[in-house]
């Protein structure tokens, strides 16, 4: 946590504006009587989801108590699980209010806010012994007291204890009864967090778990409040301690081991809290490294690489695409990262976080700005254009199994997944492709709904919800693919990815060739036996133009509006997705036809999509659930499939101008763009590119 909060409000207009907003919000909460500590413990927040629409239920921190809960579409939901989830949000919001009140006091010196923060902190200290070790927690959970999960309890405790430390930094004193209650709370919390660590690290042998990072963060805060330097030193150095966790919980390519952007942010935030506490004892963890060179600076750098050109952190594996509590976490760590490491790639991510939080044009807002923001507004310190351009080349993450393809002159870029499954937070998504335009992620990974939704396993973790290949409507097995080639030369960026563990006897190869004008996606599948082989693409915008044609230069054929369903195998059952259109483009002479689609993306750009449809191929539009932000708003996927022992799917994308695609032989295609023709031939060594001649 940064010091000098009052200085920010005296020197910067944004500081005064944010202070006024935070003071007004606290005054409203106090006037509503909502800053009241429930005597019931919190449940599992992931159950706070509408069973019909699969959207997160609405939560208002100004509500004092609640037993019925609404979804964004007006459903009224009741039940103990929802009540427990609401209580989890309520307890977290009260801890945040304590920290917010402490920050407002630090900035304004208005005693009422110090008293408010003290009231919440001391109130929880008195209440904590009365919370039981949670009897209603699910069997797999590491049980907490104030929450179902010890993990949630650890996170909540860091917020309360940071508020306590901020008050102490500002010279606020405690009464003897308050101090006694806090001492009891600290002893109980330390004992329980220590026991939880023993279970995770020694009993379960799972030291790399993200739980460990947060248990460490909670204990670090406890030792800081108690001024226990020896306890903190032991926590940093021991098995499962800060340095050990950095070495085993983060891959050498700097991404958290589960391959999830969300859990990467989650763990990095815990690391930063521990580092903040260590700094109070004169111990520097900000520049510390793991045994393979892992570092917090590296963890920020890889986030900057994974963000799209707008600064949106793409969802990978489990985690939301967009969610206010997550966005606040992003803003917090990016403010700290910007002040500590001065990495230009942080700025677009920070601005986008504030935009999602309601800051006009990405201006600073909310508590994270006042606590952790330093200096001028990020936009005033470094232009978005410079930040976006810095370090935006292609990148291979060999340990985590992701590859990014970017070219400075291309409006298109891509991210592909070939690496480890990701454990309990992984998806069955090998060779998934996220295609990006400068204005949007066109075919993103949809991330994950709250875990209490049945769509977690029925759709979002499954293969067909990703932009890759399924066999027989069934999901891939959990496995790790490989990157056979990665090259970046003046003419193009080329990636060759392989999967051999998705299905028994099946080999899949995806070739991605990005030039300054277009992206060629060539997907080869050898199934081993007769099967329905299905290539999926999930754009977030509908096709604007839907035509098919039978050859280069011939007139369009009809797009057939034909109903039906597509059966999808999910966990031993069949999910039936409506087929809303069928495209027919196979030529009668046995040659490949050409399917043409176009999409208007936000911001005014356009993506053109051309695919080869060979005899026996089928292309159709399939209605699917929407994104994890709102699954109830359906999307339309493109399904390209055939039945056989092998399949070849060749697609090309361009921005600004239509690109033509023609099959010239069994293993070669011509790509024509802006009067220039290139021939791409598939050999045992991968794709080779010939050409560049002009075609008038």
């Amino acid at each position: 946590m940064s010091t000098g909060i009052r200085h920010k409000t005296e020197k910067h207009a944004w500081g005064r504006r944010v202070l006024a907003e935070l003071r007004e919000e606290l005054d409203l909460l106090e006037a509503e009587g909502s800053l009241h500590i429930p005597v019931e413990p919190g449940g599992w927040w992931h159950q706070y989801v509408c069973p019909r629409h699969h959207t997160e239920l609405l939560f208002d921190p100004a509500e004092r108590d609640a037993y019925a809960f609404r979804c964004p579409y007006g459903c009224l939901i009741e039940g103990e699980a929802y009540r427990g989830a609401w209580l989890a949000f309520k307890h977290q919001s009260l801890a945040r209010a304590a920290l917010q009140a402490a920050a407002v006091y630090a900035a304004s010196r208005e005693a009422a806010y110090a008293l408010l923060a003290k009231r919440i902190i001391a109130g929880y200290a008195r209440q904590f012994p009365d919370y039981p070790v949670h009897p209603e927690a699910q069997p797999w959970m590491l049980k907490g007291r104030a929450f179902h999960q010890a993990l949630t309890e650890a996170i909540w405790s860091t917020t309360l204890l940071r508020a306590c430390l901020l008050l102490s930094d500002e010279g606020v004193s405690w009464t003897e009864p308050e101090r006694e209650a806090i001492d009891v709370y600290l002893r109980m919390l330390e004992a329980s967090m220590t026991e939880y660590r023993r279970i995770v690290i020694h009993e379960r042998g799972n030291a790399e778990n993200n739980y460990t990072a947060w248990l460490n963060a909670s204990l670090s805060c406890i030792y800081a409040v108690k001024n226990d330097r020896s306890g903190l030193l032991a926590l940093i150095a021991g098995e499962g301690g800060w340095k050990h966790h950095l070495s085993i919980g983060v891959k050498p390519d700097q991404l958290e081991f589960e391959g999830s952007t969300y859990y990467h942010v989650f763990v990095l935030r815990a690391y930063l809290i521990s580092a903040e506490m260590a700094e109070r004892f004169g111990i520097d963890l900000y520049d510390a490294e793991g045994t393979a060179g892992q570092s917090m600076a590296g963890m920020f750098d890889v986030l900057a690489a994974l963000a799209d050109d707008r600064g949106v952190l793409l969802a990978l594996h489990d985690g939301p695409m967009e969610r206010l509590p997550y966005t606040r976490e992003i803003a917090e760590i990016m403010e700290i990262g910007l002040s500590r490491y001065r990495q230009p790639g942080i700025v677009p991510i920070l601005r986008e976080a504030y935009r999602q939080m309601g800051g006009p044009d990405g201006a600073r807002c909310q508590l994270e700005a006042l606590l952790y923001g330093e200096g001028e507004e990020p936009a005033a310190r470094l232009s978005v254009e410079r930040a976006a351009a810095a370090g935006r080349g292609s990148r291979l993450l060999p340990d985590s199994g992701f590859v990014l393809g970017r070219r400075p002159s291309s409006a298109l870029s891509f991210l592909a997944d070939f690496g480890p499954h990701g454990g309990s937070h992984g998806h069955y998504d090998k060779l998934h492709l996220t295609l990006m335009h400068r204005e949007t992620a066109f075919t993103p990974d949809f991330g994950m709904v709250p875990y209490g939704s049945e769509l977690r396993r029925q759709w979002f973790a499954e293969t067909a919800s990703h932009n890759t290949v399924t066999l027989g409507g069934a999901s891939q097995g959990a496995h790790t693919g490989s990157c056979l080639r990665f090259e970046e030369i003046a003419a193009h960026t080329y990636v060759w990815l392989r999967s051999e563990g998705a299905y028994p006897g099946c080999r899949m190869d995806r070739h991605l060739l990005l030039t300054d004008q277009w992206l060629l996606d060539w997907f080869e599948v050898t199934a081993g036996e007769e099967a329905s082989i299905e290539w999926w693409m999930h754009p977030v915008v509908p096709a604007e133009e839907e035509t098919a044609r039978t050859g280069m230069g011939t007139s369009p054929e009809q797009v057939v509006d034909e109903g039906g369903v597509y059966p999808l195998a999910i966990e031993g059952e069949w999910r039936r997705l409506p087929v809303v259109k069928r495209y027919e483009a196979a030529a009668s002479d046995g040659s490949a036809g050409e399917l043409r689609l176009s999409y208007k993306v936000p911001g005014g750009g356009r993506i053109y999509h051309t695919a080869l449809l060979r005899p026996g191929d089928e292309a159709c539009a399939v209605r699917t659930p929407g994104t994890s932000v709102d699954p109830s708003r359906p999307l339309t996927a493109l399904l390209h499939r055939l039945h056989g022992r092998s399949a070849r799917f060749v697609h090309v994308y361009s921005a600004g101008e239509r690109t033509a695609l023609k099959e010239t032989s069994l293993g070669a295609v011509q790509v024509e763009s802006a009067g220039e023709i290139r021939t791409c031939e598939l050999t045992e060594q991968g794709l080779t590119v010939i050409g560049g001649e002009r075609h008038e």
Side-chain angles (χ1 to χ4, degrees), residues 517-518 606-608 653-660 672-675:
Q517 292 79 38
W518 42 263
R606 189 179 299 276
I607 292 176
Y608 296 98
Y653 307 89
S654 57
E657 186 170 333
R658 168 78 63 187
T659 297
E672 181 180 349
S673 177

Side-chain angles (χ1 to χ4, degrees), residues 399-417:
D399 308 293
S400 301
F402 296 98
V403 60
L404 292 140
R406 291 191 176 100
R407 299 185 65 79
S409 299
S410 176
L412 299 181
S413 58
F414 69 84
L415 183 152
D417 178 349

Side-chain angles (χ1 to χ4, degrees), residues 397-582:
L397 303 179
D399 308 293
S400 301
F402 296 98
V403 60
L404 292 140
R406 291 191 176 100
R407 299 185 65 79
S409 299
S410 176
L412 299 181
S413 58
F414 69 84
L415 183 152
D417 178 349
F418 65 89
H421 177 68
S424 61
H425 295 300
H427 292 185
Y428 304 95
D429 61 353
K430 288 314 106 186
L431 307 196
H432 161 84
L433 173 69
T434 291
L435 174 61
M436 293 169 279
H437 186 277
R438 285 197 182 111
E439 301 295 337
T440 190
F442 174 60
T443 63
D445 186 316
F446 292 145
M448 183 50 66
V449 288
Y451 297 158
S453 167
E454 65 179 11
L455 286 184
R456 179 191 186 190
R457 300 195 183 280
Q458 289 187 358
W459 179 246
F460 286 99
E462 302 304 316
T463 306
S465 74
H466 296 81
N467 307 305
T468 185
V469 163
T470 57
L471 261 58
S475 278
Q476 301 173 2
H479 70 291
T480 301
S482 58
C483 179
L484 301 185
R485 276 181 63 184
F486 171 68
E487 65 181 29
E488 191 167 25
I489 61 176
H492 62 250
T493 300
Y494 171 54
V495 174
W496 177 6
L497 307 177
R498 172 168 289 177
S499 158
E500 295 182 286
Y503 305 94
C506 177
R507 188 178 77 187
M508 303 191 296
D509 292 276
R510 190 162 210 164
H511 304 267
L512 299 166
L513 184 77
L514 179 64
T515 73
D516 290 341
Q517 292 79 38
W518 42 263
L519 169 67
L520 178 67
D521 176 13
W522 188 316
F523 207 131
E524 292 274 316
V525 183
T526 302
E529 58 183 30
E530 292 283 332
S532 173
I533 306 173
E534 304 121 354
W535 179 98
W536 293 89
M537 186 192 78
H538 298 271
V540 292
V541 292
E544 185 180 66
E545 171 188 326
E546 299 177 341
T547 62
R549 57 184 208 168
T550 59
M552 307 289 263
T554 63
S555 59
E557 283 197 359
Q558 181 182 6
V559 177
V560 181
D561 288 310
E562 183 178 319
V565 295
Y566 176 71
L568 188 68
I570 299 291
E571 292 193 332
E573 299 181 359
W574 291 92
R575 183 178 182 87
R576 303 175 72 81
L577 302 176
V579 175
V580 295
K581 261 189 175 66
R582 298 183 187 274

Side-chain angles (χ1 to χ4, degrees), residues 23-304:
R23 182 192 284 115
E24 181 180 356
E25 182 180 10
L26 287 172
D27 291 347
L28 175 62
L29 293 173
E30 186 78 320
E32 294 287 334
S34 60
L35 299 178
H36 169 75
I37 296 174
V39 297
E40 301 166 74
W44 192 37
W45 80 260
H46 280 282
Q47 291 176 301
Y48 204 62
V49 59
C50 177
R52 177 184 175 189
H53 295 97
H54 305 281
T55 54
E56 193 171 317
L57 301 175
L58 301 174
F59 174 77
D60 181 0
E63 197 169 23
R64 179 187 173 97
D65 206 357
Y67 290 88
F69 317 96
R70 291 193 180 275
C71 92
Y73 291 96
C75 298
L76 190 64
I77 313 294
E78 297 181 11
E80 286 302 314
Y82 303 103
R83 166 70 175 172
W86 181 88
L87 284 164
F89 280 105
K90 186 63 177 178
H91 288 306
Q92 294 277 28
S93 73
L94 287 168
R96 180 179 175 87
L99 182 55
Q100 184 167 326
V104 170
Y105 172 73
S108 68
R109 283 306 207 223
E110 295 178 57
Y113 297 101
L115 292 173
L116 172 57
K118 288 178 62 181
R119 190 181 85 210
I120 296 172
I121 295 167
Y124 269 120
R126 296 187 188 99
Q127 179 64 39
F128 190 73
D130 293 333
Y131 292 132
V133 175
H134 217 300
E136 298 175 7
Q138 297 180 33
W140 59 268
M141 291 179 177
L142 191 61
K143 299 179 181 180
R145 280 184 172 274
F147 300 86
H148 273 197
Q149 281 193 297
L151 176 62
T152 315
E153 192 156 296
I155 298 166
W156 165 81
S157 71
T158 64
T159 306
L160 276 181
L161 295 178
R162 288 166 112 184
C164 187
L165 287 164
L166 181 54
L167 290 176
S168 296
D169 291 344
E170 297 298 326
V172 174
S173 60
W174 301 86
T175 66
E176 191 61 30
E178 288 171 339
R179 188 177 300 280
E180 289 175 359
I182 291 171
D183 287 344
V184 171
Y185 169 61
L186 291 173
R187 285 196 299 272
M188 292 186 66
L189 188 64
E190 181 181 2
S192 60
M193 293 294 154
T194 301
E195 174 61 9
Y196 300 148
R197 284 186 84 251
R198 186 197 65 78
I199 294 171
V200 172
I201 297 169
H202 301 289
E203 186 175 308
R204 297 184 179 180
N206 196 12
E208 73 277 9
N209 196 295
N210 58 63
Y211 264 65
T212 310
W214 276 101
L215 297 173
N216 289 343
S218 177
L219 284 165
S220 295
C221 291
I222 293 168
Y223 295 140
V225 174
K226 293 174 60 178
N227 197 27
D228 183 354
R229 180 185 175 88
S230 62
L232 185 69
L233 285 171
L235 184 66
I236 292 170
E239 182 180 1
W242 192 94
K243 290 185 178 179
H244 183 222
H245 194 273
L246 180 65
S247 297
I248 62 175
V250 179
K251 298 279 191 180
D253 58 24
Q254 307 293 343
L255 192 63
E256 195 264 348
F257 82 99
E258 293 163 297
S260 161
T261 321
Y262 172 77
Y263 283 100
H264 182 96
V265 169
F266 189 58
V267 168
L268 179 53
R269 181 169 177 244
Y271 286 170
L272 288 165
I273 291 172
S274 293
E276 175 189 324
M277 299 304 121
E279 191 173 42
R280 290 175 167 270
F281 296 96
I283 303 166
D284 181 14
L285 296 180
Y286 290 99
D287 295 319
E289 292 189 354
T291 53
Q294 301 96 325
S295 67
M296 290 197 292
M299 293 178 75
F300 278 108
D301 178 66
V302 79
L303 284 176

